[in-house]
Amino acid sequence: MADLRNSPLGHATTWSDAYDPRLLFPVERAPQRAELRFGDALPFRGVDVWNAYELSWLDARGKPEVAIARFVVPAESPCIVESKSVKLYLTALNLTRFHARNDVATTIARDLSAAAGMTVGVVLVAPEGFAALPRAEP
């Protein structure tokens, strides 16, 4: 696994204008869990929930589309994805064409799952659903 010192966090970066799943930087959970003296069986259950409030891409004709995205990463996944790398990855989708909204969700889920080493859930909320989103502590 890559050394966190090689991640984009804390370093000057340039924005990519093309889809590139290699922008995602996986970080192994095991070293930090070993420091906490967790064994193979975690003493907890849960998920990491990430929200992307400004996700955008182009439809097949080149028209900009937007959504709010939620990513659910199982706590037992071997890796978490470094946050700045997720931001760079999502920004690279801005000028990427997709046939349908579901293709965007499928692509992000595939790429985040590959980086995390376990299935990551992805839900996209279209603008017409924004008002229905909860506005409270989880």
Side-chain angles (χ1 to χ4, degrees), residues 1-134:
M1 192 56 48
D3 186 332
L4 190 55
R5 291 174 291 190
N6 296 324
S7 81
L9 186 63
H11 299 101
T13 55
T14 57
W15 299 99
S16 176
D17 60 359
Y19 163 74
D20 186 356
R22 295 172 301 171
L23 293 168
L24 295 170
F25 191 90
V27 177
E28 283 188 276
R29 294 182 190 259
Q32 291 77 22
R33 289 180 174 173
E35 285 182 30
L36 295 170
R37 298 186 180 161
F38 293 160
D40 289 337
L42 295 175
F44 54 83
R45 297 180 314 177
V47 296
D48 295 298
V49 179
W50 295 34
N51 293 296
Y53 293 102
E54 298 179 14
L55 179 64
S56 65
W57 66 93
L58 301 175
D59 71 10
R61 295 175 295 145
K63 176 182 164 260
E65 296 286 337
V66 298
I68 292 175
R70 174 168 281 188
F71 313 135
V72 180
V73 184
E76 64 270 18
S77 66
C79 297
I80 190 71
V81 185
E82 190 278 317
S83 61
K84 185 174 179 182
S85 77
V86 174
K87 182 178 179 178
L88 293 168
Y89 166 80
L90 294 176
T91 300
L93 296 178
N94 289 345
L95 297 176
T96 304
R97 291 181 187 228
F98 289 91
H99 180 70
R101 180 178 306 273
N102 189 55
D103 295 337
V104 178
T106 300
T107 298
I108 294 171
R110 180 192 64 226
D111 295 342
L112 289 177
S113 296
M118 187 171 268
T119 300
V120 173
V122 174
V123 174
L124 300 186
V125 178
E128 56 272 14
F130 291 175
L133 290 172

